[in-house]
């Protein structure tokens, strides 16, 4: 054999291995930090007591969008809009919130005002919709109904933002954003505990003379083994009970919800420890004016998502339900406003990255014997 042929033959022999490695890299390049890349957990493999609630509708599947999280808003004409973030198409998808009909898409890829890059968490308050962009490392606020961009903030300090919760505070709003920055040495590994003190950022969002501005007012995160959030995404608060629930998505330490105060301090209590078997994900609050109500929290099984329900006051577990088909849920949203289609409100849950399912609150309350608000 000619010696000159050896390099060529060696290169040919190595081609399959190199191609496979490249494909593997491409397949995992877009993986989220909470995706372990192991065997997908299935609800069918776990004997978890739950009831089945049929979906009122599921939007038409759109795999190219990669839907992450929903929120809803009541338009001036009374129509309920369901707005969802689409991570791959870099848009906001707007549906009819009562039928699931796709109405329009908003934004598109880019870095400028009104453009999006990997939108994840979303929240609606009053006539604003706030959207977290992981890859633009910021939060954008849009004015409804026109979706005009009115504010952008966080790019100077956020590293890998995912979720958010917003509330009225003073003359404006407080926005709490989760920041899932990872280890400098390995982007698949959480940083050391001592570096988790800025897992969540607080911003004050205010309007003056028609101009919006946001200011970073603080950061928080426990740095002890018991209270730290290793994998951070979902955050939701309950002002009436001075409570934040933060989803710990790291299955290695035990996925669960951790209870913090609105002051950002860990209260030493976890919710659902040992109860969540796949991964604790999106949360919503059914809040009655008298202080009673329920928390809903997702366990992200790949075949069918499980939604745990906890008492709002005591945080005791009161039951769980799953849809007939809704699976692999990231974000959820609870709209307590009533209309002809959903007189007592509607619960929305993302379905397998492809769309959004709607559950009539009356159906959930009936199967789990939940009390309705006397609001």
């Amino acid at each position: 054999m000619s010696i000159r042929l050896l390099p060529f033959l060696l290169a040919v022999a190595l081609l399959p291995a190199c191609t496979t490695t490249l494909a593997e890299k491409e397949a995992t390049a877009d993986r989220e930090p909470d995706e372990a890349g192991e065997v997908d957990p299935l609800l069918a493999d776990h004997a978890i007591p739950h009831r089945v609630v049929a979906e009122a509708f599921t939007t038409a599947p759109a795999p190219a969008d990669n839907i992450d999280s929903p929120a809803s808003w009541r338009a001036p004409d009374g129509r309920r809009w369901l707005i969802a973030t689409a991570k791959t198409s870099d848009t906001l998808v707007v549906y009819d919130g009562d039928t699931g009909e796709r109405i329009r898409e908003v934004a598109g890829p880019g870095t400028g005002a009104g453009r999006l890059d990997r939108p994840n968490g979303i929240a609606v308050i009053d006539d604003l919709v706030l959207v977290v962009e992981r890859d633009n490392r910021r939060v954008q606020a849009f004015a409804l109904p026109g979706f005009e961009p009115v504010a952008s903030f966080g790019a100077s300090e956020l590293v890998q933002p995912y979720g958010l919760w917003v509330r009225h505070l003073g003359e404006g709003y407080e926005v709490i954003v989760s920041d899932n920055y990872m280890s400098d040495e390995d982007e698949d590994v959480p940083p050391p505990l001592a570096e988790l003190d800025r897992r969540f950022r607080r911003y004050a969002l205010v309007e003056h003379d028609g101009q919006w501005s946001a200011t970073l007012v603080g950061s928080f995160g426990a740095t002890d083994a018991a209270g730290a959030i290793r994998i951070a995404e979902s955050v939701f608060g309950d002002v009436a009970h001075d409570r934040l629930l933060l989803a710990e998505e790291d299955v290695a330490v035990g996925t669960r919800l951790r209870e913090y105060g609105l002051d950002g301090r860990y209260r030493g209590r976890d919710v659902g420890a040992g109860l969540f078997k796949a991964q604790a994900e999106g949360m919503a609050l059914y809040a009655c004016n008298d202080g009673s109500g329920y928390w809903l929290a997702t366990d992200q099984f790949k075949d069918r998502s499980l939604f745990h329900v906890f008492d709002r006051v005591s945080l005791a577990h009161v039951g769980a339900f799953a849809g007939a088909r809704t699976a692999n849920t990231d974000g959820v949203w609870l709209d307590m406003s009533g209309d002809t289609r959903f007189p007592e409100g509607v619960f929305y849950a993302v379905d397998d990255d492809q769309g959004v399912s709607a559950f009539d609150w009356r159906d959930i309350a009936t199967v789990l014997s939940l009390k309705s608000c006397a609001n």
Side-chain angles (χ1 to χ4, degrees), residues 82-100:
L82 171 60
I83 309 165
T85 55
K87 294 184 290 191
T88 299
S89 59
D90 296 315
T91 61
L92 301 178
V93 181
V94 184
Y95 307 92
D96 185 303
D98 285 349
T99 68

Side-chain angles (χ1 to χ4, degrees), residues 57-59 67 69-74 79-85 92-104 122 124 147 332-333 335 346-350 355-358:
F57 66 75
T58 299
T59 62
I67 300 295
S69 296
S72 64
W73 180 74
R74 187 73 68 175
R79 192 178 189 184
R80 193 195 310 262
W81 287 4
L82 171 60
I83 309 165
T85 55
L92 301 178
V93 181
V94 184
Y95 307 92
D96 185 303
D98 285 349
T99 68
E101 174 191 0
R102 189 168 180 137
I103 300 173
R104 61 183 290 205
I122 184 172
V124 168
F147 289 94
V332 300
W333 184 265
D335 186 339
V346 53
F347 175 67
Y348 296 111
V350 166
V356 184
S357 292

Side-chain angles (χ1 to χ4, degrees), residues 49 132 188 202 204 220-221 225 251 257 274 335 368:
V132 177
D188 291 327
R202 296 183 191 270
F220 66 89
V251 296
L257 309 178
D335 186 339
L368 294 181

Side-chain angles (χ1 to χ4, degrees), residues 174-322:
E174 179 184 57
V175 185
I176 295 179
V177 185
S178 63
D179 194 355
N180 201 56
Y181 53 89
M182 303 301 278
S183 168
D184 292 336
E185 288 72 31
D186 187 341
E187 63 181 11
D188 291 327
V189 176
L193 291 176
E195 298 177 15
L196 294 176
D197 58 339
R198 50 189 174 88
R199 258 303 185 238
F200 300 89
R201 301 282 196 175
R202 296 183 191 270
Y203 296 89
L205 178 63
V206 297
E207 179 188 18
H208 291 295
D209 298 326
Q211 298 296 314
W212 290 89
S213 62
T215 304
L216 176 68
V217 295
S219 305
F220 66 89
T223 55
D224 61 291
I229 302 294
R230 281 80 167 176
I231 303 293
E233 184 169 351
S234 301
V235 50
F236 211 93
D238 183 356
V239 175
H241 296 282
D242 186 23
R243 175 179 288 152
L244 288 173
L245 289 187
L246 312 176
E248 170 57 89
E249 300 187 24
D250 189 0
V251 296
V253 300
T255 183
R256 64 195 66 194
L257 309 178
R258 299 200 191 279
E259 183 190 5
Y260 279 53
L262 293 176
D263 61 1
R265 297 178 183 273
Y266 176 54
R267 289 184 166 172
R269 176 164 60 165
D270 292 345
V271 181
L275 187 62
F276 291 93
K277 301 297 184 181
Q279 194 170 67
E281 258 286 355
M283 296 175 287
L285 179 64
Y286 183 80
C288 300
N289 289 339
D290 64 0
S292 65
Y294 304 97
W295 283 94
L296 290 83
T298 308
D299 202 356
Q300 193 182 26
F301 288 102
K302 299 299 181 180
D303 55 344
R304 282 193 306 137
S305 299
L306 190 66
F307 304 103
H308 289 290
V309 181
F310 302 90
D311 181 81
R312 181 186 183 187
V313 180
S314 68
L315 299 181
H317 189 249
V318 299
F321 71 95

